[in-house]
């Protein structure tokens, strides 16, 4: 249920509603907008109704959220969520491009890539230190050594770091070195992992499972928010369909669909979404046109030598060409590309 308070409700009045609800064993989530304070009460609907909160003069209305996702919904929070991380804002006017190799392979590879992508206008460095590979014989990642290279690259370039965590036991380690924790497609419904990242205190980039419906994906985000972490962003990375030319089918209709149903930012991954480097640039443009708040793109200094996902990786030169185009596109869309030097705080 959502409890909408009248404009100007005082802290004490909000507190009173909150106490009445928690006394009944209900869980409260507060969304304080510029104009309205909205309270989300999760739990037995009958109990909430029996409290007759609408009788309080500072309560405007009490309405049920009919969808299974609650905190993630636009009803709970009408205004867009803006995630503030390391002086950058995700979900506002600025479009962020996160770029880097599929996997952290060496210190030299990460440093070279980091400087190149910053030069082209990226604001976040991506790179997997823990890799969820289809085959147990494939490279599994440099683990903590890889995280150290990412953190060093951040210190040297000012780029922020987004990297995947694949095991609940590694959440605090990955959170220690990075700025955004990525939940990979294969782990979208790893509920133990979702509950753990809910406690990590860092923003989470939640990739769509290869066969997840919109509702399942939103419910996965609900797990993280319900665990107390409101800094969640969705990442569309393609789903499995009968089409085999592309690695996945990039479902860009999810961008406006998510924006309609949820207040959380939406990022698009045209690299895993297509599996082919020459499709990345056009689909990146399409993603921004559809309203994406950011992109996550694989870039490798030598894609032909990449240990993973070389076929879908852009060279730094191709990345630069794409960024030039995106820069022009963002101005038409009344948005702007992020800048490393343009820190908000
Ligand atoms: C990745 O980002 O390198 C990755 C493994 O992505 P996904 O989980 O979308 O397959
Ligand atoms: Mn990859």
């Amino acid at each position: 249920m959502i409890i909408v308070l009248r404009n100007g409700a005082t802290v004490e009045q909000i507190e009173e509603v909150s106490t009445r609800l928690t006394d009944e064993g209900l869980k409260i989530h507060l969304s304080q907008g510029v104009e309205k304070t909205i309270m989300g009460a999760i739990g037995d609907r009958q109990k909430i109704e029996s409290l007759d909160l609408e009788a309080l003069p500072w309560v405007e209305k009490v309405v049920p959220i009919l969808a299974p996702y609650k905190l993630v919904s636009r009803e709970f929070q009408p205004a867009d969520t803006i995630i503030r991380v390391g002086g950058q804002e995700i979900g506002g006017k600025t479009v962020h491009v996160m770029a880097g190799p599929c996997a952290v392979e060496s210190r030299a590879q990460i440093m070279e890539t980091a400087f190149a992508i910053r030069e082209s206008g990226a604001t976040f460095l991506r790179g997997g230190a823990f890799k969820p590979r289809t085959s147990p014989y494939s490279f599994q990642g440099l683990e903590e050594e890889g995280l150290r290279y990412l953190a060093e690259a951040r210190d040297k370039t000012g780029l922020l770091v987004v990297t995947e965590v694949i095991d609940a036991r590694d959440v605090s380690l990955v959170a220690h070195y990075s700025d955004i924790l990525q939940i990979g497609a294969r782990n979208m419904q790893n509920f133990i992992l979702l509950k753990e990242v809910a406690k990590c205190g860092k923003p989470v980039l939640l990739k769509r499972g290869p066969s997840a419906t919109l509702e399942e994906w939103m419910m996965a985000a609900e797990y993280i928010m319900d665990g107390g972490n409101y800094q969640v962003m969705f990442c569309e990375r393609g789903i499995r369909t009968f089409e085999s030319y592309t690695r996945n089918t990039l479902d860009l209709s999810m961008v406006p669909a998510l924006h309609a149903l949820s207040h959380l930012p939406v990022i698009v991954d045209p690299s895993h979404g297509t599996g082919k480097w020459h499709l990345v640039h056009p689909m990146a443009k399409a993603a921004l046109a559809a309203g994406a708040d950011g992109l996550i793109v694989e870039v490798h200094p030598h894609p032909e030598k990449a240990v993973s996902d070389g076929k879908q990786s852009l060279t730094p030169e191709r990345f630069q060409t794409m960024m030039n185009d995106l820069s022009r596109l963002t101005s038409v869309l009344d948005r702007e590309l992020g800048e490393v030097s343009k820190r908000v705080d």
Side-chain angles (χ1 to χ4, degrees):
M1 299 285 265
I2 291 179
I3 298 115
V4 183
L5 300 172
R6 286 195 194 284
N7 291 354
T10 64
V11 176
E12 293 73 31
Q13 290 169 336
I14 297 172
E15 193 56 42
E16 176 168 348
V17 178
S18 166
T19 313
R20 287 202 195 186
L21 290 161
T22 44
D23 283 354
E24 288 297 324
L26 296 151
K27 209 168 168 182
I28 306 294
H29 295 268
L30 202 61
S31 158
Q32 218 129 22
V34 186
E35 296 194 345
K36 290 218 178 299
T37 298
I38 296 177
M39 238 176 220
I42 313 279
D44 187 341
R45 186 172 160 176
Q46 271 173 348
K47 263 190 192 166
I48 305 171
E49 279 168 351
S50 71
L51 289 173
D52 196 19
L53 293 169
E54 274 174 346
L56 296 170
W58 58 89
V59 173
E60 188 176 305
K61 56 184 175 189
V62 178
V63 275
I65 304 181
L66 299 174
Y69 43 85
K70 314 283 179 200
L71 306 171
V72 164
S73 75
R74 272 266 177 224
E75 288 154 293
F76 171 63
Q77 185 184 303
D80 290 343
T81 281
I82 296 187
I83 296 174
R84 295 184 171 83
V85 51
Q88 302 286 5
E89 292 189 342
I90 304 174
K93 188 174 176 177
T94 306
V95 168
H96 287 280
V97 179
M98 308 171 177
C102 179
V104 180
E105 296 167 11
S106 68
R107 184 179 174 278
Q109 173 234 24
I110 279 300
M111 295 306 159
E112 185 179 346
T113 313
F115 280 103
I117 61 154
R118 187 187 66 171
E119 207 49 40
S120 302
T123 39
F124 287 79
L125 174 66
R126 63 144 289 148
F130 293 93
K131 296 303 301 175
R133 304 304 299 279
T134 302
S135 163
Y137 309 119
S138 300
F139 178 61
Q140 304 286 310
L142 292 182
E143 304 184 350
E144 190 170 0
E145 183 188 347
L147 294 173
R148 278 201 297 269
Y149 297 153
L150 289 168
E152 187 186 343
R154 173 184 47 208
D155 294 344
K156 296 223 160 83
T157 60
L159 292 163
L160 299 175
V161 167
V162 51
T163 194
E164 182 167 353
V165 57
I166 60 175
D167 190 316
R169 290 166 296 188
D170 296 325
V171 168
S172 49
L173 177 78
V174 178
H176 172 72
Y177 287 103
S178 63
D179 301 289
I180 298 179
L181 274 72
Q182 173 177 324
I183 297 292
R186 293 159 189 79
N187 273 316
M188 189 204 81
Q189 283 187 317
N190 180 339
F191 300 115
I192 307 285
L193 182 59
L194 298 179
K195 285 182 189 173
E196 207 55 41
V197 293
K199 295 185 277 184
C200 77
K202 295 266 165 103
V204 177
L205 180 123
L206 178 64
K207 287 197 153 194
R208 182 183 187 182
S211 60
T213 63
L214 173 60
E215 191 167 299
E216 286 163 344
W217 192 13
M218 292 177 81
M219 290 310 287
E222 188 80 11
Y223 262 91
I224 305 172
M225 287 192 74
D226 182 53
N229 187 346
Y230 287 15
Q231 298 185 293
V232 184
M233 61 203 103
F234 291 106
C235 177
E236 165 62 37
R237 47 77 74 201
I239 47 171
R240 181 155 298 189
T241 68
F242 55 79
E243 182 53 69
S244 58
Y245 175 71
T246 42
R247 180 177 179 182
N248 291 294
T249 296
L250 187 63
D251 184 4
L252 288 181
S253 64
M254 287 299 108
V255 178
L258 281 166
H259 278 147
L261 298 174
S262 173
H263 50 88
L264 297 173
V266 184
I267 308 295
V268 170
D269 175 348
S271 307
H272 295 87
T274 62
K276 288 182 156 62
W277 71 262
H278 71 277
L279 300 180
V280 170
H281 179 158
M283 295 316 282
K285 288 194 287 187
L288 294 197
D293 299 295
L295 298 166
I296 183 162
V297 177
E298 287 186 340
V299 177
H300 194 289
H302 308 285
E304 69 292 349
K305 292 190 196 143
V307 297
S308 60
D309 290 351
K311 288 195 179 76
Q312 66 193 36
S313 298
L314 298 179
T315 58
E317 295 73 27
R318 289 187 170 123
F319 181 66
Q320 172 74 64
T321 308
M322 181 185 85
M323 292 298 280
N324 292 344
D325 240 8
L326 297 184
S327 167
R328 282 195 293 275
L329 180 58
T330 45
S331 55
V332 175
L333 297 168
D334 195 27
R335 299 191 83 167
E336 59 192 18
L337 282 182
E339 280 175 39
V340 168
S341 53
K342 201 168 144 196
R343 294 296 174 88
V344 179
D345 58 9

